[in-house]
Amino acid sequence: YVINELGNPIKLTLRNWTNLLEDWMRMERQWVVIINRIIVSLNKHVKTPSMYGIKECAQGGDCMFGCIAEAFNSVREKYKYTIQDIRNEAIKNISAENFEILKNEYIRAKESNEISWDPSELKTYEDLQKLISEPGTVWGDYSILDLLRQSMNFNVIIFRDEQIYSKEERVPLRDKYKLYNTMFDFNRNYPTIFLYYIEDVHFQLIGCFFTDTKEIKVLFDYNEIPEEIKVLYKQDIGKEL
């Protein structure tokens, strides 16, 4: 239940939860179509509307950190992670050993105009730690996500928005919408976060509304990952979860 503006309790349902809960919205229709097709192929009942939703967690370069904080906070009763906490987690595994590798990755990103700051000014790994720890500076990216999953022990499955093709091309839906292949190993002993990646710059958090428990999950133990997502992962990544 949630309490409305008049102080009355309203029961959460599959139809109303994204409307009643702040910052939640329906998952993109094309992804819902793809997921529903897999559900049908598994001889399962397709829920209408979809159980999948997307949450806006943060802006201004902190979106990925906000998503991860939100996911872990969903199962934490006492101290809740802040975006600053997640940034601090990211820098724990930056060391003298991997500094040059990380620096060179950012130099390549600078050369392709993916970042605005100048990584050539970094002299030591402590410089990079300090920079990443500052809110709104270095945006969450592949390298930082890799550092975070090592530090916090989680898996991530990334859904991408539509990959752009020319209007003249007739491209199958499944070629436009695919999971992002992170190349990360999947550990069944770790919880899993679903992220939505928009235009290669912005992250949102994906959650599932389970009708039996009326619970919205954003952090999944292995046995809680819906079967259709396991099939989707095998189709797009080529590996079993």
Side-chain angles (χ1 to χ4, degrees):
Y1 288 84
V2 294
I3 306 300
N4 66 11
E5 296 176 352
L6 300 177
N8 300 319
I10 301 179
K11 184 178 181 180
L12 288 178
T13 69
L14 197 59
R15 292 190 175 280
N16 69 16
W17 71 280
T18 54
N19 295 325
L20 294 177
L21 298 178
E22 187 177 4
D23 296 324
W24 280 99
M25 66 193 83
R26 295 288 177 194
M27 194 169 192
E28 190 171 353
R29 185 181 66 83
Q30 289 84 349
W31 266 118
V32 172
V33 169
I34 291 167
I35 292 171
N36 284 350
R37 287 175 180 173
I38 296 175
I39 293 173
V40 170
S41 74
L42 294 170
N43 296 315
K44 294 169 59 180
H45 173 67
V46 174
K47 294 181 173 65
T48 305
S50 173
M51 64 188 282
Y52 294 92
I54 296 173
K55 185 173 187 179
E56 187 70 62
C57 295
Q59 298 278 350
D62 286 327
C63 55
M64 190 182 77
F65 304 99
C67 289
I68 294 170
E70 184 80 19
F72 276 97
N73 287 343
S74 69
V75 296
R76 294 172 69 90
E77 294 182 359
K78 295 183 178 179
Y79 180 80
K80 301 288 187 178
Y81 282 119
T82 65
I83 287 174
Q84 185 62 60
D85 291 328
I86 305 301
R87 282 187 174 272
N88 291 343
E89 286 288 340
I91 66 175
K92 286 182 178 179
N93 285 332
I94 298 176
S95 64
E97 286 72 29
N98 62 12
F99 169 64
E100 289 299 330
I101 294 174
L102 292 168
K103 179 179 177 179
N104 288 333
E105 289 176 355
Y106 283 118
I107 288 175
R108 288 192 293 272
K110 176 67 173 177
E111 291 171 347
S112 57
N113 296 317
E114 296 175 28
I115 59 175
S116 58
W117 54 279
D118 187 1
S120 66
E121 296 179 356
L122 299 171
K123 304 304 180 186
T124 66
Y125 78 91
E126 290 94 345
D127 292 340
L128 182 56
Q129 286 180 320
K130 183 176 184 298
L131 186 65
I132 291 175
S133 68
E134 296 173 357
T137 52
V138 179
W139 289 28
D141 57 20
Y142 180 90
S143 297
I144 292 176
L145 185 58
D146 192 19
L147 292 169
L148 280 169
R149 72 179 189 88
Q150 294 178 49
S151 174
M152 301 180 72
N153 296 328
F154 65 89
N155 305 301
V156 61
I157 297 176
I158 301 178
F159 293 69
R160 302 186 74 170
D161 63 349
E162 181 179 2
Q163 300 306 293
I164 304 300
Y165 293 84
S166 70
K167 293 182 179 179
E168 289 73 25
E169 289 185 88
R170 300 187 64 178
V171 180
L173 181 64
R174 284 299 278 121
D175 288 343
K176 293 181 180 180
Y177 289 85
K178 286 186 179 292
L179 298 180
Y180 185 95
N181 191 350
T182 63
M183 307 298 289
F184 298 152
D185 290 333
F186 189 93
N187 190 322
R188 293 186 178 185
N189 296 316
Y190 295 163
T192 298
I193 299 171
F194 301 163
L195 295 177
Y196 191 52
Y197 195 29
I198 302 174
E199 297 181 353
D200 292 339
V201 294
H202 185 59
F203 287 98
Q204 294 173 320
L205 184 64
I206 295 176
C208 297
F209 181 85
F210 290 94
T211 54
D212 52 348
T213 61
K214 301 297 186 290
E215 178 186 17
I216 301 159
K217 290 203 70 68
V218 291
L219 190 69
F220 301 80
D221 289 335
Y222 179 75
N223 60 2
E224 295 172 324
I225 299 175
E227 191 64 28
E228 58 268 21
I229 302 302
K230 294 178 181 178
V231 172
L232 178 66
Y233 188 90
K234 177 65 181 299
Q235 290 179 354
D236 287 4
I237 309 302
K239 297 179 181 179
E240 300 280 356
L241 275 184

